[in-house]
Amino acid sequence: MNLYSTLQIGDYHINHCEDDLLIKKISSDKIVCAVMDGCSTALDSHFASTLIGKILRKTIIEIGYRALYEKDSQHSPEEELKEIIKGLFHELQFIKKHLMLDEKELLSTLIILVYNISKDKGLILAIGDGVVCINGNITEFDRNNKPDYLAYHLHEDFENWYSGLSQKISFDHLDDISIATDGISSFSQIKKTDPDEVINFMEYLMINQNNNDTEDMLNRKLKQLEHQYGVKPTDDLAIIRMIK
């Protein structure tokens, strides 16, 4: 299985990239991928997305250590995902109080994928906006640029909040899967070119397999879009892609 990722600041952004991404193994046969997108109209949006990435990494490491002492336990992707999100939820509650943070300092979307390699089963959860592509089928999660951020719900009971999450997609077989922040929908012309063909930017990055023999595939595709087609994402962009 090959893993590819890219993180790029949008052409309309100057100081910080407000997206972040994470690829982390729970164990030898379980992997977690996540992309985060900080809210541009909030406070220190790059902080929110990066903080969520750091907390996820910590939570996954802790789950991995516990798994070493529970060798007989078998958890489904749904159980693994819930445990990770529960850890994130409670850590954010603590940090918000401990650092006396405003809600606007914690606004970030999250798309997270949990995949069991040996069982070839996985689950994707989107909290807020973003795009998912599973074996050639693209799904866009879009709330008219008004995502329902996790930070809005930190005052709630976790179980009640989690049970109401509906933006989930499970899969039983992985050939080619991508998760991306909504920056993948923000490509715009930055210079005039004379390309031989019209290109679908989303399909090119999430379905087309050109350059899949190099781990730098996504960055090469972005460069080709810029120099051959004269387009760049105006919003920050984070993509993780897995090809079997």
Side-chain angles (χ1 to χ4, degrees):
M1 183 174 66
N2 296 319
L3 276 165
Y4 312 89
S5 65
T6 188
L7 182 64
Q8 179 167 320
I9 190 168
D11 212 46
Y12 289 176
H13 290 189
I14 300 173
N15 296 320
H16 302 285
C17 178
E18 295 166 357
D19 287 9
D20 200 7
L21 58 81
L22 172 76
I23 300 171
K24 188 71 179 175
K25 281 194 171 184
I26 298 176
S27 61
S28 60
D29 65 345
K30 295 176 183 177
I31 191 168
V32 179
C33 301
V35 293
M36 290 72 67
D37 177 10
C39 175
S40 297
T41 58
L43 300 174
D44 297 329
S45 302
H46 59 288
F47 167 76
S49 58
T50 303
L51 175 64
I52 287 176
K54 301 297 185 186
I55 295 173
L56 285 174
R57 185 182 66 181
K58 171 182 179 290
T59 302
I60 293 164
I61 290 172
E62 291 173 344
I63 291 172
Y65 281 141
R66 286 201 298 272
L68 293 175
Y69 299 96
E70 300 174 359
K71 293 183 178 180
D72 295 331
S73 64
Q74 295 293 326
H75 298 291
S76 67
E78 173 64 56
E79 292 170 327
E80 302 270 3
L81 176 64
K82 183 177 180 180
E83 187 175 6
I84 292 169
I85 298 300
K86 186 175 184 178
L88 171 64
F89 189 90
H90 291 315
E91 286 282 353
L92 283 175
Q93 283 181 323
F94 171 77
I95 291 172
K96 184 175 185 290
K97 292 179 181 179
H98 187 67
L99 298 181
M100 295 183 287
L101 297 175
D102 188 278
E103 183 181 85
K104 291 182 178 179
E105 295 176 277
L106 293 172
L107 298 184
S108 176
T109 66
L110 168 64
I111 297 182
I112 182 168
L113 179 157
V114 178
Y115 177 57
N116 187 310
I117 300 169
S118 60
K119 294 184 177 180
D120 200 12
K121 293 180 180 291
L123 181 66
I124 297 173
L125 169 67
I127 304 175
D129 295 347
V131 180
V132 172
C133 183
I134 300 178
N135 301 329
N137 298 310
I138 294 176
T139 301
E140 294 186 61
F141 297 105
D142 184 6
R143 294 171 55 93
N144 297 317
N145 209 29
K146 295 180 180 179
D148 188 19
Y149 295 107
L150 187 158
Y152 289 160
H153 302 276
L154 293 177
H155 64 284
E156 298 178 20
D157 174 76
F158 171 78
E159 294 293 339
N160 290 338
W161 170 74
Y162 188 84
S163 65
L165 297 178
S166 60
Q167 296 187 156
K168 295 181 183 178
I169 304 176
S170 60
F171 56 92
D172 295 326
H173 178 67
L174 185 154
D175 284 325
D176 188 346
I177 288 182
S178 302
I179 58 175
T181 57
D182 64 0
I184 200 169
S185 303
S186 71
F187 279 88
S188 182
Q189 203 82 28
I190 59 167
K191 61 182 179 181
K192 291 184 178 181
T193 60
D194 186 23
D196 296 328
E197 59 181 336
V198 176
I199 191 166
N200 182 306
F201 314 124
M202 202 176 290
E203 291 182 0
Y204 183 63
L205 292 167
M206 305 182 92
I207 297 177
N208 180 285
Q209 294 195 6
N210 289 353
N211 298 317
N212 68 355
D213 57 340
T214 170
E215 62 181 19
D216 205 31
M217 176 184 72
L218 292 174
N219 288 321
R220 288 193 180 191
K221 285 180 176 292
L222 288 172
K223 287 296 183 184
Q224 186 173 6
L225 288 172
E226 178 183 354
H227 297 295
Q228 183 175 338
Y229 296 92
V231 296
K232 289 183 69 177
T234 57
D235 192 10
D236 301 332
L237 174 61
I239 308 174
I240 298 174
R241 187 169 172 184
M242 303 168 66
I243 300 179
K244 206 166 187 179

